[in-house]
Structures are given as structure tokens and as C-alpha cells.
Amino acid sequence: MIEFINVTKKYPNGTVALRDVSLKIDPGEFVFVVGASGAGKSTFLKLIIREEVSSSGIIKINKYNLNTLSKREIPYFRRTMGVVFQDFRLIPSMNVYDNVAFAMRVIGAKEKDIRKRVTYVISLVGLSSKARCMPNELSGGEQQRVSLARALANNANLIIADEPTGNVDPQMSKEIVDLFMRLNEGGATVVMVTHEHSLVRCYDKRVIILENGSVVSDGIPARLAPSEPAKPPAVEETPGPHPKPYLPRRQGTEITDIPVADLLAGSGKDGGR
Amino acid sequence: MIEFINVTKKYPNGTVALRDVSLKIDPGEFVFVVGASGAGKSTFLKLIIREEVSSSGIIKINKYNLNTLSKREIPYFRRTMGVVFQDFRLIPSMNVYDNVAFAMRVIGAKEKDIRKRVTYVISLVGLSSKARCMPNELSGGEQQRVSLARALANNANLIIADEPTGNVDPQMSKEIVDLFMRLNEGGATVVMVTHEHSLVRCYDKRVIILENGSVVSDGIPARLAPSEPAKPPAVEETPGPHPKPYLPRRQGTEITDIPVADLLAGSGKDGGR
Amino acid sequence: MGNSLGYLTREGLRNVLHNRLMSLASISVLFSCLVMIGSAFLVFANLNAMIGSIEAQNVIMVFVKDTSTTKQTEQLGVEIRALLNVESCVFVPKEEAFQQQIDQLGSAAELFEGIDNPLPDAYKVTVADMNNFQTTVKNIEQLDNVLRVRENSDLASKLASLKSAATYISIGVIALLLIVSLFIISNTIRVTMFSRRLEIRIMKSVGATSWFIRWPFMLEGMILGVLAGLLAELAVWGVYEAVSRSLKGLLSTLGRSGALPFSDYWHILLAGFLIIGFLAGAVGSLFSMGKYLKEQECAGIDEE
Amino acid sequence: MGNSLGYLTREGLRNVLHNRLMSLASISVLFSCLVMIGSAFLVFANLNAMIGSIEAQNVIMVFVKDTSTTKQTEQLGVEIRALLNVESCVFVPKEEAFQQQIDQLGSAAELFEGIDNPLPDAYKVTVADMNNFQTTVKNIEQLDNVLRVRENSDLASKLASLKSAATYISIGVIALLLIVSLFIISNTIRVTMFSRRLEIRIMKSVGATSWFIRWPFMLEGMILGVLAGLLAELAVWGVYEAVSRSLKGLLSTLGRSGALPFSDYWHILLAGFLIIGFLAGAVGSLFSMGKYLKEQECAGIDEE
Ligand SMILES: Nc1ncnc2c1ncn2[C@@H]1O[C@H](COP(=O)(O)OP(=O)(O)OP(=O)(O)O)[C@@H](O)[C@H]1O
Ligand SMILES: Nc1ncnc2c1ncn2[C@@H]1O[C@H](COP(=O)(O)OP(=O)(O)OP(=O)(O)O)[C@@H](O)[C@H]1O
Ligand SMILES: [Mg+2]
Ligand SMILES: [Mg+2]
């Protein structure tokens, strides 16, 4: 459960990135966060993973109250989630395998479990042939997928993804979101920031729209559309003959040959925890 | 003019990123380069800006033959183009203004011209209020736009852009491509890598499709579409009721309030050159 | 955390190899500092030994009464040797003493030819501890059959103060070098860590505890420290042997048989080097990392 | 490039302030090294002066023939003073010489009481250059009315070799410190540059020439070098005054009036510090950047 109560985030240089945000994300929900560049989406996620601290307001994540979380607890808190960073954050001195394995090593998993699980998640993002490459030998999209694989490594039940599809082609984007959907069906909470509105429209999921640091819309687009005529252009400016969001068309999405089916069963017994 | 003759690029670790690519881009052309993640798009651009050297084959850019270009000439060669990098490449110790100004300072422009031109291109990408921020104080999309502004600073007549819209919302993406279109109309050659096929479809421009290091399609989609039934899924997998690329609809694109109109007239007299 | 230990150790080893530039720089700097400290130590050890050997030449002449018999004279020798703080006691017959006087006068000596030997028999006594020089002189004066004691208490006190000065200066110089070295080393490690702050930040954001991040870095530091210590030992050894060989001629002119043998000092040096290297590496990386490991404080600190 | 010069200079200054950690580290390391070199220089200057003052005590005794008149004796004095390499020449009447002999014998002196003074009048001569000691002795021996010349050529040669040894050792130690310092400094700069390689790479990819990138870094290095030099001068001055004051008592026991005044040396030191600092900063950053400035060679090198 993620709960924001009147949260404001002001950066040291004076920029107010979030303004009085209150919202609640229930366990098992799937939430898209959209908004223009600089709207505060990444800041929202950074507050959730406690990389930034709120200037005012209360943030509660599962059993943790971030306002009272001691520094000592932070690493343990962070291990309860899998995070895909907008800037990937790969350790430049480790190869792909070690980067993904690192997330499991920090929790002290057994080397055998690590090998099984890491090999598996790397194949899941289609990078098996690149496992021994260093990050600087990868293309942008490949780096992004390594970050994704690392987020999946520990089989966390809270997935935070900051534009996980920004550097990959539309087909792969769909595959990635489908992967998240599977995880979500297995019980994980997923919060995903994205710019690809076409993607958001394919799924019948909750969408939070940020504008200039404030939440201007929150709900499932198909149901919201008729009731919110006042703020239309934020999502619907994409060219095309569709004046309102698509209705969900789950059956239409192509699931590729990547073996996502057994992701939740997971090899490696819940990542060794 | 960009000319590739049987160019192959093999990285030191053995990865063959480009395979026997031959193509020619005429001065004043606008070219989209699309392809899956890892297809070799960035490698293609890196060869053009001579950040990487081809393993075999001949590359000619305008009057430069990159196979015989001496090291001493490289900086001067690079100044003839404006480049938006996939990973932004902002200098972390300089603020937004100085990052953009740097491109003009390397060519020894006058401080007065720099001030005029830089202020102008920063406003063009909508970052006037962030001019004094350091790169690490910017959101992903803002960083990308700084990189864009820097590419525009010198008013180069060859624009190379590696996913310049990867971190911005669809509306801004359109604005950016429109900006490139204007430059193109003014005579600049533009080579732009992108994943957003929906964007590509809005324009009636040449599209080069890379797959696994090879050019699998090259031409204007609207004219190609009927003649190439064998390779349809590479571009057209986006969900939606459109089985083939859009026809150009220039009149339908919303030009925003950003003053792009006078970009080519440019303040700062051709960037001081 | 049993599983992690193996990983953390491997990681530390891997870091050494992976960051070759950094490793080389750290080892070089530490090595340079250790070589300086070691050299200073050996120079001062030799200086001390030299002063000691000059000291040994500061003797007390005990003149025996003309009236005493050979037996009494011998008895006196036994009594002197029995005193505390007497290191050696050699009998000098009057003829020999006279000859020495003449020799001391150099080429003007022939002026004394034909003059009767006015000197008595004597004992030449050296003391063990210069600081108790006066007491020993007093004790000898109280013995029987002593005509007079000749001592150069001025030289004795000069030597004593020279020796203590040398000791103070040695300790001072070595302490200074140590401080300077620690300063240099800590700065080098700080810069090294600075260039790896990104890595540290990423590790933190994936949920690594501070100790999990620290361990490989510390281990890396220790390995580099110990390596630098071993190299410094070898370098100091080589340089010392070369220098002491080339200075042999000079030292013998100055009345010394040669430099102290390195074999007497190698273990002290090695122990010192290893301890300094180890601590510098471990503690240095521990502290210089602190800044990059810090988490943001809770709400409110950004506002001021 | 006229426009650029101003920018490049400002940029160099800005770098100093912006990279405070790096600047501080570089200055500290350079400072430490300079302080060591400066201290060694002053120690050796003092040592040399000390040996010099001992040398001045090495005298040639020229005994005058018994048969010569007062006039002849005075004439001899004039002739000796006229010789090259003679620094001073003092007349010692025979009574005084005898008294000195007696004093030298210490408390055994009274044994000489009642003996006729066998010594002649003499001149006490000191030479300017120890290396020409023997020649001077020869020259004096050839003068009229000289009975005999007493000289301690053994001590003279000992002192001469001690002095040249001290000179060699000083030069050696200072050269060693200089090398070690340059090594340490270049390593520190290398690490600093390494942590800025990203910046350099970006600048290159925007079309900056190598010199355009180098200038601000070099300027930054020079500024830091000169700052370190100035700080080192102040530190060495302070430490030297403190140490020479506290050692004053000790030095006077050893027969020296005190340490050399710092005012005689400050300009040499300052010049040395500034030159070393400046060069280390400029040349150091110039070379350590080279690696990151290199462009890829043309086609073909990737294949092997
Ligand atoms: N420096 C490098 N060393 C080795 N291999 C590399 C290097 N850079 C890229 N590659 C490999 O070359 C291939 C093409 O990379 P490139 O960056 O050109 O892809 P891309 O088309 O730009 O992909 P993306 O859309 O993900 O950015 C990839 O398989 C990548 O792993
Ligand atoms: N560390 C920081 N210091 C100061 N201001 C910051 C910092 N990080 C972000 N900001 C500012 O806060 C605002 C919100 O940033 P944020 O990164 O949350 O945007 P975003 O919605 O993720 O945008 P994008 O889609 O471009 O990534 C922006 O105006 C940005 O300039
Ligand atoms: Mg963001
Ligand atoms: Mg790319």
C-alpha cells in the first residue's frame, strides 16, 4: 500500500516538483503515471523509494512510514521493491550478469539461487547473449532492459518503473508492459511512469496524470473520459482520429515468445529470501 | 551529403553492429532511422560523427572522407554538425546555459553572439526558467532538451539526433520533429533515430529501417507500403486500427506557442561563424 | 550474511584488478611514502650508531699512584672492572702513555726527546651509559691507589645531548613523515572514492547496506596497502644496500666499519610497512567513503 | 581564438572553485611534497654550515725557529698572511702554547709542573679551502725561519670528505624527494583527471580541440601549483623558526651560535616552490590528460 498525504517536495534550489499530492495506491493495483516533461513524475517515484525526502506531508509505503524511517532501515526498505530507473543506474564496472546479480547479493542470497534466477530474468528481457558485456558496450535499449531485469531479480511485490520503455521499440514496450501485467496478476503492485499514451490506452488500468507537480486526474481513463470534460488535452493530444481513450483491448496484444508464463513461479525460490 | 559504401562495424568485443551498409543521404534530405533495440542505429550515427571508426568500408560526409580524416581535423569536422546524443552527454559541472554555450565557445564565437543565440535556443526548447540549473537538477526530458538545444546552437546544416524524443511526451515530441522539419526546409540535412513509429507515420519522409545491423528497408513509407509486403511487422505492430502508415497530414499537427518561426533566420548571425 | 562474505571478498579482489589505474596510483603513493619513512628510519638508526661509536671513544684515564706496587695496581684494575656502568678497562703502562702524548703532539714531538717520562701508569676506562658518567668518575676516585682521574666531562655531556637531540629529531622527522604520508594517502583515497561515488550511489539505491558497500572497498584498500608495504620493503632494501656499499669508503674514513646491516632491521621495517599500509588502506577507504554513503536526513532538512 | 582566451581563463578559475574536493586534494599533496623538499634543503644547508664551522677549527701550527729574532718572527707572520688560501694567522707565544699543552692534558697536567717549556713560538694558521690544504702546508714549509709545521692532515682530509659526502647526500636526498614528489603529484593528477574523463569525452564529442580542453585544466593546475607553493613557503618558514628556536640551546652546546637565519633562504625556497608547483600543475595535467584526449585511430585497429 502506498499512501501520500498532502505531500510537497521542494528541491534545495527552490523548484517545487510536487505540490500537495494526496493519493492512495492499494496493494495489487496497477497504476500508470503520466504527465509532461518536468511534471514531477520521477520525483513522485523518488519519494516512494525514499531517494528524496518530502518537504512536508506524510508518505507511507506498506508497513513503513517514510517520515520516521531510520537511516539504518532504508536499505531493508528498498529491498522490498524492484525499481527501474529512468537513467538506468547500471554499475559501470560490473557486467550485465553482475549488475542484475547485485540486487540479489545485497540480500545475501545463495550463489546457486542467484545463478538460476539471474540467468532467467536476463533471458526474460532478451539479453542472454549480452550477459558478459559491460554496460558501456550496450545500446540504450539494452541498458534499459538490464535495469528492468535487475528490478525483477528479487521478485519484489512492489515494482516501480520510471519510463521503462523509453528506449525500446513499440513491440518491446508492449512486451514489457505485458510482463508487468503478469506480475500484477500474480499480486504485485506496479507503478509505472510512461510517456507512451498509446500504450496506456491499451490497458484498462488506473492512470494518474501529473501536471506541474499536482495530480490533475486520477482514475481509469475509459470510465473517466465522459465525466471529466474540463481537462482533456493532457492525454489526448496524440494525432489520430481518436478523440477519447481506447477501450481496453487485452485480447489484441501480441504476447511474444519470451517465456513470461512462469515468471511468478520464478526459479530460485523467491530470490533466496 | 552522407555516403556509406559497404560499411561494416565490428566492436572490439566481437559484436557486429553494422553489416555491409551502403546508402546515400543527399544534402537537404530528412531521414528517419528506425529499428529494434540493438539494431545498430546509434552505431550508424556514431560512425557519421566519427566517434567510432568503421571496421571496413568507406564513409564520406560532405567534403570529408572519414577513412582518411586526420586526428587534427576531427574537431573541425564535428563542428559542421549538431548532435543530440541518446545519453544526452551534458557536462555535469556546467549549468544549462554553459552546456549550450560550450558548443559555440569551441568555435570561438563572440561572447555577445553567444549570449543572444544561447538564450534563444534555450527558450526554443522551453527551458528558459532552467538556464541556471545544473544537469543533475533536471528531469530526464529536460536534460534531453538541453542536448537538443546544444545541437541547435551552432546552426549547423547537418543535424544528427539519436532518439531526441525518447524522454518527452508525445506533444513535445511532435514539436521537436516540427522544429527539425523547419530546419530541413531551411536547407539542413536531418538524420533522426526514433522509436516512435506513430511519429514517423505523420511525416512523408524517407525512413531507413535497420534490423540486426543491416538495412532492410529504405524509402518513403507511403510509397513503399504496397511494394513491400514481405516485411510488415517491423514498423506496423502498434495497436490501432491503422494497417498501414499514415499519409502525411502536416496541417493536422498543432504548432505550439514556441517561436520556431524565426529559427532559421536565427539571432546571433549564424552562431558567430 | 555467510553467503555474502565470499562474494564481498571476491569483489574486493576484482576491484583491485578492474580499477588498475586507481590501484596503481594508490599503491604508488603509499609506496613512495613508506619508502621515505623507511629511509628516514634507517638513516637515523645509522646516525645513532655513529654517535654511539664516538661515545665509546670517550674514555676516563685513571692514573695510578707512583707508590703502588704491581699487585696493588692489578687490584685496582679488578675493582674498577667490578663497578657498575664500566664497560671496559684497559691497563696503559706509563711508557705507552708517554708515547701517546708524544704522538698527539705530532711532528713537534721530537722536542720532548730526552725529557724523562713524567707520566704514571694508567687505566683507560669506558662507561656504558653516558648519563651516569659523573657518578662513575666519583666511584673510581674513591678507590685506593688512585692518583688522579682525567676525564673530559665536557665532551661527555656534549655527546649525551647530541645523542638525545638525534633521538628527538629522528622521532620528530619520522612522525612528520608519517603525518605527511597519512595526509597524502588520505587525499589520494578521497579522490579515488570521489571518482567512484556514482557506483556507491547506485549500490545504495538498490538496497545495499553501508557495510555491504564498504567491505569490498576496504578489502581493496587493505590489499593495496599490503602490496605497497611489500614493495616498499624491497625498494628500501635495495637502495640501502646500494647506498651503504657506495658509502663504505667514506664511513671508514670517519672511523666506522660500515653501515648497519639491513638484516638487523628488515623485520622492524616490514612490520611497520605492513601495519601502516594495512591501516592506511582499510581506515582510509572507510573514512573517505563516509560522505558518499550518507542517506538524506528525514523531512525538513531541505528547507532552510 | 581571441574570444576564447578570456573564456578559457575564466573556466580555469571556475574549475578551481567548482571542484573543491579535487583542488583541496591536489594542493594538499603538492604542499606536503614541497614542505618535505624545503625542510630537507634547510636541514642540509645547516649541516653544511656546521661542518664548515668545524673546518674553521682545523688549524696549521707553524713553529718558529728558536734562533729567529722578533723581527724575523714578525716577518714570517706577514709572509704567511700573504699566501693564497690562508684565511687567518694568529701568533701564539711559546708560553701560551705550553699552557695549552698542559690544559689539553687535563687534570694530569700538574705532572708537567717544574718542567722547562720545551716549545717554540708559533703561528696558528687556518686555510680557506680545505682541498688545497696540502699545498698551503708545503708553501709555508718553504718560508724562512720555519722550524716545523704541525698539521693534522688526517682530520683535514676527513673533514673534506665529510663535506663532500654531506653535499652528495643532500643532493641525493633532495633529488629523491623531488622524484618521489613528482611521482606522487603525477599520480594524484592522474586520478583527478580520471574522475573527469567523462567531461573530457563530452567536450571532445562537441568538437572541442585538444588545446581548448587542455587550457582550463592546465590553468587550474598552475593556479593550484602556485597556491601550494605559497602555502608551503609559509609552513616551512613557521616550522623552521619554531624548530631553530627550540634547538638553540642544543646548537650552542655543539659550539654553533644557532641555526642559519631563514631570511637568507626564503627567496631561494620561494622560487623553487613556485617553479616546482607551477610546473607540476601545468605539465602534470598536460600529460595525465593525454590518454583521455586521444581520438580513435582510423579503420582497422579494432580488428585484432
Ligand atoms: N561499445 C560497444 N562495444 C561492444 N558492443 C557494442 C558497443 N556499443 C554497442 N554495441 C552493440 O552493438 C549493437 C548495436 O548497438 P546500437 O547502440 O547501435 O543499437 P541501437 O540500435 O542504438 O539500439 P537502441 O535502440 O537500444 O539504442 C548492440 O547489440 C550493442 O550491444
Ligand atoms: N535534484 C533536483 N534539484 C532541483 N530540481 C529538480 C531536481 N530534480 C528534478 N528537479 C526539477 O523538478 C521538476 C520535476 O522533475 P521530475 O524529474 O520529477 O520530472 P519528470 O516528470 O520525471 O520529467 P521527465 O518526464 O522529463 O523525466 C523539474 O522541473 C525538474 O527540473
Ligand atoms: Mg523523469
Ligand atoms: Mg541507440
Side-chain angles (χ1 to χ4, degrees):
Chain A
M1 188 207 55
I2 298 172
E3 192 171 3
F4 274 55
I5 303 172
N6 299 117
V7 173
T8 294
K9 172 63 191 176
K10 189 177 167 188
Y11 281 107
N13 72 355
T15 310
V16 181
L18 279 188
R19 253 178 254 274
D20 200 28
V21 170
S22 296
L23 54 79
K24 202 171 153 179
I25 297 172
D26 289 322
E29 254 194 293
F30 191 116
V31 179
F32 285 112
V33 179
V34 298
S37 173
K41 306 179 295 296
S42 296
T43 304
F44 176 65
L45 299 190
K46 282 177 185 167
L47 286 172
I48 294 179
I49 64 176
R50 208 192 172 291
E51 190 170 299
E52 295 288 348
V53 262
S54 62
S55 309
S56 69
I58 296 166
I59 303 175
K60 287 182 194 154
I61 313 291
N62 294 329
K63 60 184 172 63
Y64 297 92
N65 179 338
L66 297 201
N67 297 67
T68 60
L69 195 70
S70 77
K71 285 187 191 180
R72 199 168 288 273
E73 287 174 293
I74 293 176
Y76 303 96
F77 164 68
R78 289 204 182 125
R79 293 176 195 174
T80 62
M81 45 185 97
V83 186
V84 186
F85 296 94
Q86 189 172 13
D87 50 359
F88 318 149
R89 301 235 183 129
L90 305 181
I91 300 171
S93 63
M94 291 184 186
N95 65 24
V96 169
Y97 179 92
D98 286 326
N99 260 291
V100 176
F102 189 79
M104 292 185 74
R105 288 186 170 133
V106 295
I107 62 169
K110 289 205 203 75
E111 205 55 41
K112 208 186 74 202
D113 296 338
I114 293 177
R115 204 165 320 120
K116 247 165 108 182
R117 178 77 186 168
V118 171
T119 314
Y120 174 67
V121 292
I122 288 180
S123 75
L124 210 57
V125 297
L127 288 177
S128 297
S129 66
K130 300 275 173 191
R132 299 285 151 205
C133 286
M134 303 304 281
N136 68 353
E137 295 173 348
L138 298 180
S139 79
E142 286 163 352
Q143 288 178 28
Q144 190 159 48
R145 284 180 278 154
V146 178
S147 188
L148 171 62
R150 184 176 57 191
L152 302 179
N154 273 337
N155 220 339
N157 66 0
L158 174 54
I159 301 286
I160 308 286
D162 200 348
E163 309 228 22
T165 61
N167 282 272
V168 296
D169 49 303
Q171 182 168 359
M172 195 163 283
S173 299
K174 270 213 87 324
E175 284 165 18
I176 289 173
V177 182
D178 284 338
L179 192 66
F180 285 152
M181 288 291 167
R182 298 265 164 172
L183 291 171
N184 180 241
E185 278 161 19
T189 314
V190 179
V191 180
M192 171 173 162
V193 164
T194 185
H195 283 130
E196 301 193 50
H197 299 162
S198 55
L199 209 62
V200 171
R201 259 180 255 117
C202 303
Y203 301 91
D204 183 28
K205 294 292 180 186
R206 179 171 166 193
V207 178
I208 297 173
I209 304 178
L210 285 176
E211 222 178 270
N212 221 338
S214 306
V215 177
V216 294
S217 155
D218 185 352
I220 296 171
R223 292 174 219 163
L224 275 181
S227 64
E228 280 205 319
K231 297 161 185 163
V235 237
E236 288 107 348
E237 84 307 337
T238 331
H242 307 285
K244 53 180 178 158
Y246 289 124
L247 289 177
R249 297 179 309 105
R250 294 292 303 283
Q251 74 289 351
T253 66
E254 296 178 3
I255 291 169
T256 55
D257 53 348
I258 291 178
V260 291
D262 53 345
L263 176 67
L264 295 169
S267 38
K269 294 165 195 158
D270 272 22
R273 276 177 302 167
Chain B
M1 186 207 57
I2 297 172
E3 190 170 5
F4 273 55
I5 303 170
N6 300 116
V7 173
T8 294
K9 173 63 190 176
K10 188 177 169 188
Y11 281 106
N13 71 356
T15 310
V16 181
L18 279 188
R19 251 177 255 276
D20 200 29
V21 171
S22 297
L23 53 80
K24 202 170 155 181
I25 297 173
D26 289 322
E29 255 194 293
F30 192 118
V31 179
F32 285 112
V33 179
V34 298
S37 172
K41 305 180 296 297
S42 297
T43 304
F44 176 65
L45 298 190
K46 282 177 186 166
L47 287 172
I48 294 179
I49 63 176
R50 208 196 173 287
E51 189 170 299
E52 295 287 348
V53 260
S54 62
S55 310
S56 69
I58 297 166
I59 303 175
K60 286 181 194 157
I61 313 289
N62 294 330
K63 61 184 172 62
Y64 297 92
N65 179 338
L66 298 201
N67 297 66
T68 59
L69 194 69
S70 78
K71 285 187 188 180
R72 199 169 288 273
E73 287 174 293
I74 293 176
Y76 303 95
F77 164 67
R78 288 203 182 126
R79 292 175 194 175
T80 62
M81 45 185 94
V83 186
V84 186
F85 296 95
Q86 190 172 13
D87 50 0
F88 318 149
R89 302 235 185 133
L90 305 181
I91 300 172
S93 64
M94 292 185 187
N95 67 23
V96 169
Y97 179 92
D98 285 327
N99 259 290
V100 176
F102 189 79
M104 293 185 73
R105 287 186 170 131
V106 296
I107 61 168
K110 289 204 203 76
E111 204 56 40
K112 208 186 74 200
D113 296 338
I114 293 177
R115 202 164 322 117
K116 247 165 109 181
R117 178 78 186 168
V118 171
T119 314
Y120 173 68
V121 292
I122 288 180
S123 75
L124 209 57
V125 297
L127 288 178
S128 296
S129 65
K130 300 277 173 191
R132 299 287 151 202
C133 286
M134 303 303 281
N136 67 354
E137 294 172 350
L138 298 179
S139 79
E142 286 162 352
Q143 289 179 27
Q144 191 158 47
R145 283 179 282 153
V146 178
S147 187
L148 172 62
R150 183 176 58 190
L152 302 179
N154 273 338
N155 219 342
N157 66 1
L158 173 54
I159 301 285
I160 307 287
D162 201 349
E163 308 229 21
T165 61
N167 282 269
V168 296
D169 48 301
Q171 182 170 357
M172 194 162 285
S173 300
K174 270 215 87 321
E175 285 164 18
I176 290 172
V177 183
D178 284 338
L179 193 66
F180 285 152
M181 288 291 165
R182 298 264 165 173
L183 290 171
N184 180 238
E185 277 160 19
T189 313
V190 178
V191 180
M192 172 175 162
V193 164
T194 185
H195 283 129
E196 301 193 50
H197 300 163
S198 55
L199 208 63
V200 173
R201 258 179 256 119
C202 302
Y203 301 91
D204 182 28
K205 294 292 179 185
R206 178 171 166 194
V207 177
I208 296 173
I209 303 178
L210 284 176
E211 222 178 270
N212 221 339
S214 307
V215 177
V216 295
S217 152
D218 184 353
I220 297 170
R223 293 174 218 163
L224 274 181
S227 67
E228 280 206 317
K231 297 161 186 164
V235 235
E236 288 106 350
E237 83 307 335
T238 331
H242 306 284
K244 54 181 174 154
Y246 289 125
L247 289 176
R249 296 178 308 103
R250 295 292 304 281
Q251 73 291 352
T253 65
E254 295 176 2
I255 291 169
T256 56
D257 52 350
I258 290 179
V260 291
D262 53 344
L263 176 67
L264 295 168
S267 37
K269 294 166 195 156
D270 272 22
R273 278 180 302 166
Chain C
M1 294 294 268
N3 300 316
S4 304
L5 217 68
Y7 164 71
L8 293 173
T9 311
R10 276 200 313 281
E11 193 58 20
L13 288 166
R14 196 186 64 89
N15 277 352
V16 175
L17 296 175
H18 192 267
N19 302 293
R20 254 163 302 174
L21 171 74
M22 293 294 167
S23 305
L24 213 72
S26 312
I27 286 192
S28 309
V29 170
L30 193 50
F31 167 82
S32 311
C33 293
L34 289 177
V35 167
M36 286 190 302
I37 296 175
S39 309
F41 174 75
L42 287 174
V43 166
F44 286 118
N46 271 290
L47 200 67
N48 240 11
M50 239 181 240
I51 296 174
S53 76
I54 296 174
E55 257 185 9
Q57 289 164 17
N58 190 31
V59 294
I60 305 172
M61 290 302 291
V62 181
F63 296 101
V64 187
K65 276 192 182 136
D66 273 354
T67 52
S68 53
T69 61
T70 316
K71 204 133 194 202
Q72 282 171 323
T73 305
E74 274 167 15
Q75 172 62 19
L76 178 61
V78 172
E79 281 168 17
I80 292 174
R81 286 189 193 95
L83 287 174
L84 284 169
N85 201 28
V86 167
E87 196 166 80
S88 72
C89 174
V90 180
F91 181 65
V92 185
K94 58 171 110 181
E95 296 75 28
E96 197 179 307
F98 190 59
Q99 191 57 43
Q100 269 182 16
Q101 280 292 344
I102 290 171
D103 289 353
Q104 259 190 22
L105 292 174
S107 38
E110 61 187 29
L111 298 170
F112 281 88
E113 270 168 28
I115 289 175
D116 260 354
N117 180 359
L119 296 174
D121 287 333
Y123 279 102
K124 199 171 169 180
V125 177
T126 59
V127 300
D129 179 5
M130 272 299 168
N131 292 318
N132 294 328
F133 189 84
Q134 289 304 338
T135 326
T136 311
V137 169
K138 288 256 158 59
N139 289 341
I140 295 175
E141 277 171 346
Q142 272 149 29
L143 296 175
D144 284 337
N145 294 317
V146 170
L147 170 69
R148 187 161 289 271
V149 174
R150 193 186 93 196
E151 33 91 12
N152 193 341
S153 65
D154 186 39
L155 178 60
S157 74
K158 265 191 191 174
L159 281 177
S161 67
L162 185 67
K163 193 166 185 179
S164 64
T167 309
Y168 289 141
I169 293 178
S170 318
I171 293 174
V173 168
I174 290 178
L176 190 84
L177 280 178
L178 211 65
I179 293 170
V180 167
S181 299
L182 286 183
F183 194 59
I184 291 178
I185 294 164
S186 75
N187 269 308
T188 310
I189 297 180
R190 269 224 320 263
V191 175
T192 315
M193 280 300 153
F194 177 77
S195 74
R196 292 167 81 174
R197 67 196 184 286
L198 178 73
E199 204 170 324
I200 293 175
R201 186 172 146 244
I202 295 174
M203 289 177 171
K204 258 181 30 188
S205 67
V206 180
T209 55
S210 294
W211 275 106
F212 192 88
I213 299 174
R214 270 191 200 117
W215 252 113
F217 283 105
M218 279 183 66
L219 195 75
E220 185 187 346
M222 290 175 200
I223 294 173
L224 295 179
V226 168
L227 272 180
L230 290 176
L231 289 177
E233 173 86 7
L234 288 179
V236 168
W237 184 21
V239 170
Y240 187 78
E241 290 294 340
V243 169
S244 64
R245 199 158 302 151
S246 73
L247 287 187
K248 198 160 198 166
L250 193 74
L251 283 168
S252 62
T253 333
L254 294 173
R256 297 259 315 133
S257 63
L260 299 170
F262 188 74
S263 54
D264 287 1
Y265 289 89
W266 75 266
H267 41 278
I268 307 179
L269 274 182
L270 187 60
F273 284 173
L274 292 185
I275 291 172
I276 298 176
F278 185 84
L279 287 183
V283 181
S285 35
L286 187 62
F287 282 106
S288 56
M289 242 186 306
K291 192 171 152 193
Y292 308 113
L293 282 171
K294 262 210 201 96
E295 291 284 349
Q296 280 203 355
E297 282 289 352
C298 249
I301 56 138
D302 285 359
E303 311 229 310
E304 83 274 49
Chain D
M1 292 295 268
N3 301 313
S4 303
L5 215 69
Y7 163 72
L8 293 173
T9 312
R10 278 199 313 282
E11 193 58 21
L13 288 167
R14 196 187 63 89
N15 277 352
V16 175
L17 296 174
H18 191 268
N19 302 293
R20 255 163 302 175
L21 171 73
M22 292 296 167
S23 304
L24 211 73
S26 312
I27 286 192
S28 309
V29 170
L30 193 48
F31 167 82
S32 310
C33 293
L34 290 177
V35 166
M36 286 191 302
I37 295 174
S39 308
F41 174 74
L42 287 174
V43 166
F44 286 119
N46 271 289
L47 201 67
N48 241 11
M50 237 180 243
I51 296 173
S53 76
I54 295 174
E55 256 184 12
Q57 289 164 16
N58 190 32
V59 295
I60 305 173
M61 291 302 291
V62 182
F63 295 102
V64 185
K65 278 194 180 133
D66 273 353
T67 54
S68 54
T69 63
T70 316
K71 206 137 192 195
Q72 282 173 324
T73 305
E74 275 167 15
Q75 172 64 18
L76 178 61
V78 172
E79 281 168 16
I80 291 175
R81 286 189 193 96
L83 286 174
L84 284 169
N85 203 27
V86 167
E87 196 165 79
S88 72
C89 175
V90 180
F91 181 64
V92 186
K94 60 171 108 179
E95 298 76 28
E96 199 180 305
F98 189 57
Q99 191 57 43
Q100 270 184 14
Q101 280 291 345
I102 290 171
D103 289 353
Q104 261 192 19
L105 292 174
S107 37
E110 63 189 26
L111 298 169
F112 281 88
E113 269 167 29
I115 290 176
D116 260 355
N117 180 359
L119 295 175
D121 288 332
Y123 279 101
K124 201 168 164 183
V125 177
T126 59
V127 300
D129 180 4
M130 273 299 169
N131 292 318
N132 294 328
F133 190 84
Q134 290 303 338
T135 326
T136 310
V137 169
K138 287 255 158 62
N139 289 341
I140 295 175
E141 275 171 346
Q142 273 148 30
L143 296 176
D144 285 339
N145 295 317
V146 172
L147 171 68
R148 188 161 287 273
V149 175
R150 193 185 94 196
E151 35 88 12
N152 194 341
S153 66
D154 186 39
L155 178 59
S157 74
K158 263 190 192 174
L159 280 178
S161 65
L162 185 66
K163 193 166 185 178
S164 65
T167 309
Y168 289 142
I169 292 177
S170 318
I171 294 175
V173 168
I174 290 178
L176 190 83
L177 279 179
L178 211 66
I179 293 170
V180 167
S181 298
L182 286 183
F183 194 59
I184 290 177
I185 294 164
S186 74
N187 269 309
T188 309
I189 298 181
R190 269 226 318 262
V191 174
T192 315
M193 281 300 153
F194 178 76
S195 74
R196 293 168 81 174
R197 68 194 183 289
L198 179 73
E199 206 169 322
I200 294 176
R201 187 172 144 243
I202 295 173
M203 290 177 170
K204 257 182 30 188
S205 67
V206 180
T209 55
S210 294
W211 275 105
F212 192 88
I213 300 174
R214 270 190 200 119
W215 252 111
F217 283 106
M218 277 183 69
L219 195 75
E220 184 187 349
M222 290 175 200
I223 295 173
L224 296 178
V226 168
L227 271 180
L230 290 176
L231 288 176
E233 173 86 6
L234 287 179
V236 168
W237 183 20
V239 170
Y240 188 76
E241 291 295 337
V243 168
S244 65
R245 199 159 300 150
S246 74
L247 287 187
K248 198 161 198 166
L250 195 73
L251 283 168
S252 62
T253 333
L254 293 174
R256 299 254 320 129
S257 63
L260 299 170
F262 187 74
S263 53
D264 288 1
Y265 289 91
W266 75 266
H267 39 278
I268 306 178
L269 274 182
L270 187 60
F273 285 174
L274 291 185
I275 291 172
I276 298 175
F278 184 84
L279 287 183
V283 182
S285 35
L286 186 64
F287 282 108
S288 55
M289 243 186 305
K291 191 172 154 192
Y292 307 114
L293 282 171
K294 261 206 203 100
E295 292 284 350
Q296 280 203 356
E297 283 288 353
C298 250
I301 56 139
D302 285 359
E303 311 228 311
E304 81 273 54

